[in-house]
Amino acid sequence: MTDRTPIRVLIADDQDMVRTGFRFFLDAQPDITVVAEASDGEEAVTLARRLRPDVCLLDIRMPKLDGLEATRLLAGPGVRDPMRVVVVTTFDLDEYVYGALNGGACGFLLKDSGPVLLAEAVRAAAVGDSLVSPSVTVRLLQHVTATRAPAPSPLASAPAHPQEPLTERELDVVRLVALGHTNAEIAASLFVSLSTVKTHLTSVQHKLPARNRVEIAAWAWRTGHADGRT
C-alpha cells in the first residue's frame, strides 16, 4: 500500500459490465480508488461537480449527454476550475479524437488498450500529463505533418511562431513531449529534476500559447521540431 492519498476516479459508461470491469481493476491498484459511477452523461457531470474526483473516465456514446459534451462541460475552454478528463471509447474515429481534445480532455484511450494502459492514463492525468492510445497518437501525428487536420482542431491551435523564442532546453523538452514521453521520462532523459521539466512546460505553454501538452506536441510536429527538421 502507498502512504499517498489515492487518486479518486469517476467512471462514466452506459454499460454495466464495462463500469464493473474498470472498477474491479482500478480499485485493485494501491494508488487509485473509484469514488463514483455514472451510466449517462448528465449523471457524470452532476457527480463530478459534486465530488470533484481527481480524474473522470468518460465514455463517448452515452444517453442524455454524450461524453464529448460532458467533457466540454467539465474541462472545456471557459470552465473556471476544469477537471482532468480521460475519454475511453470503443470507437477509433478521428472526429471523436479531435472532439475530445478540443473539449479539454487530457487523454484519449481505446477500450481495447488493456487495463495496464488504463491505469497509466489515470496516473498521467492525475499529475497533469496526457496519455493517448498509441495507435491514435500515430494517426494524429500523421494528420499534423500532412496538415490535413479538420477544423476546428487542437492540432492547429498554436501558431507556427511562438510569442517568444523557445530556449534550446525548452525545445528539447518539446521534442520529447511530441514523442509521447511523460514528465518523469523527460526528466530522466535530460538528467534534470521533475520540477524543472514542469517549469519548462509552463514556459512553453505560455510562449506558444498552448492549453496542454497535446497542443505542444501538435505544434512540434507541425513545425518540424519533433523530428529534427528545424
Side-chain angles (χ1 to χ4, degrees):
M1 295 294 290
T2 177
D3 292 332
R4 297 182 179 179
T5 302
I7 301 167
R8 301 168 65 252
V9 176
L10 176 147
I11 300 171
D13 196 292
D14 61 340
Q15 298 183 51
D16 291 343
M17 290 185 64
V18 171
R19 296 198 310 275
T20 299
F22 283 3
R23 175 185 279 273
F24 178 81
F25 178 77
L26 293 176
D27 273 343
Q29 307 304 304
D31 58 337
I32 300 174
T33 183
V34 176
V35 296
E37 294 182 24
S39 59
D40 63 69
E42 283 187 0
E43 184 182 18
V45 171
T46 298
L47 287 173
R49 286 173 171 171
R50 186 173 81 235
L51 299 174
R52 301 293 305 181
D54 299 308
V55 179
C56 299
L57 296 178
L58 304 184
D59 186 23
I60 287 183
R61 295 188 178 180
M62 295 187 290
K64 297 185 180 180
L65 193 69
D66 68 42
L68 297 180
E69 182 59 27
T71 297
R72 284 190 287 270
L73 291 174
L74 296 175
V79 175
R80 179 171 297 179
D81 190 11
M83 299 186 197
R84 291 164 181 169
V85 174
V86 175
V87 170
V88 188
T89 181
T90 305
F91 306 99
D92 186 7
L93 301 176
D94 285 351
E95 63 185 281
Y96 286 165
V97 178
Y98 299 131
L101 298 180
N102 267 332
C106 62
F108 188 96
L109 205 63
L110 299 178
K111 289 181 181 177
D112 63 4
S113 297
V116 174
L117 205 58
L118 176 67
E120 288 306 310
V122 168
R123 294 185 181 107
V127 297
D129 281 352
S130 297
L131 192 153
V132 178
S133 285
S135 62
V136 174
T137 301
V138 170
R139 193 175 68 253
L140 201 62
L141 298 180
Q142 288 173 341
H143 277 288
V144 174
T145 54
T147 64
R148 292 194 303 266
S153 165
L155 305 183
S157 296
H161 301 290
Q163 295 176 344
E164 300 177 44
L166 272 61
T167 67
E168 283 301 317
R169 181 56 81 180
E170 287 170 349
L171 287 172
D172 289 338
V173 172
V174 165
R175 291 187 190 101
L176 293 175
V177 167
L179 295 174
H181 292 259
T182 65
N183 287 357
E185 290 169 340
I186 294 171
S189 177
L190 298 180
F191 302 101
V192 298
S193 68
L194 192 59
S195 62
T196 297
V197 172
K198 292 179 179 178
T199 298
H200 285 318
L201 285 174
T202 298
S203 177
V204 169
Q205 283 184 248
H206 173 73
K207 288 180 177 180
L208 288 181
R211 288 183 299 169
N212 50 48
R213 66 196 295 118
V214 175
E215 291 184 0
I216 291 174
W219 176 84
W221 282 96
R222 184 159 50 85
T223 57
H225 287 88
D227 54 7
R229 288 188 285 115
T230 60

